[in-house]
Amino acid sequence: GLKEIGNLASWTVSSCKPGCGVEALRDEDTGLFWQSDGPQPHHLNIHFSRFVSIVSIRIFLDFEADESYTPTRITLLAGTGYHDLIPFSALEFAQPKGWIDVPLDHVGGGEDGKTLRAFLVQVRVVENHQNGKDTHVRGLKIY
């Protein structure tokens, strides 16, 4: 019963290979992916034009298909802009496959303390499997 609000945001990436940008990441087909093209860390910025309440963030990764392109460490940050980003979740993966829920416990918003309130969410890929340089993220949904 949650509404995906990613279409309300402006999405940018730190870098991408041709044809593997934001459009591929946002597509419903998890056979498509964002592929970075440059030095780590890689950034994915989701900038909303108004203050939003986020109750769920999901990321799709596929180690079987992507191997060294698969992230092993991701940090998520949020704030009102690039100047005040605060980390709210750090994820580590062994061999992820499928949709992964980002924990929003203790982010402080809402009655239950599990609602993230922000203008900007940044997904920072810090490290890949086998020290891979570029990364693949096959989907990202914000509810």
Side-chain angles (χ1 to χ4, degrees):
L2 297 177
K3 181 179 179 188
E4 210 280 332
I5 60 170
N7 61 324
L8 302 176
S10 171
W11 294 62
T12 58
V13 291
S14 53
S15 64
C16 67
K17 296 274 189 191
C20 295
V22 172
E23 301 80 21
L25 173 70
R26 294 288 298 148
D27 197 286
E28 293 295 322
D29 181 1
T30 55
L32 302 174
F33 49 83
W34 162 49
Q35 180 175 335
S36 63
D37 185 19
Q40 288 176 334
H42 305 296
H43 301 105
L44 169 62
N45 300 303
I46 307 148
H47 206 145
F48 293 92
S49 60
R50 61 182 177 86
F51 210 46
V52 294
S53 296
I54 299 167
V55 296
S56 178
I57 300 174
R58 304 183 82 212
I59 300 172
F60 193 95
L61 302 174
D62 188 349
F63 177 77
E64 288 178 14
D66 299 328
E67 296 181 352
S68 68
Y69 290 93
T70 308
T72 53
R73 288 193 314 134
I74 293 178
T75 302
L76 287 95
L77 305 95
T80 59
Y82 296 101
H83 61 284
D84 69 352
L85 289 173
I86 298 170
F88 66 88
S89 188
L91 307 173
E92 293 197 19
F93 311 106
Q95 295 185 355
K97 181 169 175 54
W99 287 102
I100 297 150
D101 290 310
V102 175
L104 296 180
D105 298 343
H106 313 298
V107 293
E111 292 180 14
D112 61 359
K114 297 179 182 181
T115 302
L116 178 65
R117 305 255 306 139
F119 277 101
L120 174 65
V121 175
Q122 184 178 81
V123 179
R124 191 178 293 171
V125 178
V126 181
E127 182 180 279
N128 287 344
H129 275 275
Q130 303 158 351
N131 294 319
K133 183 179 112 178
D134 292 330
T135 197
H136 285 181
V137 177
R138 293 179 171 269
L140 199 150
K141 302 283 184 189
I142 296 186
Y143 301 93

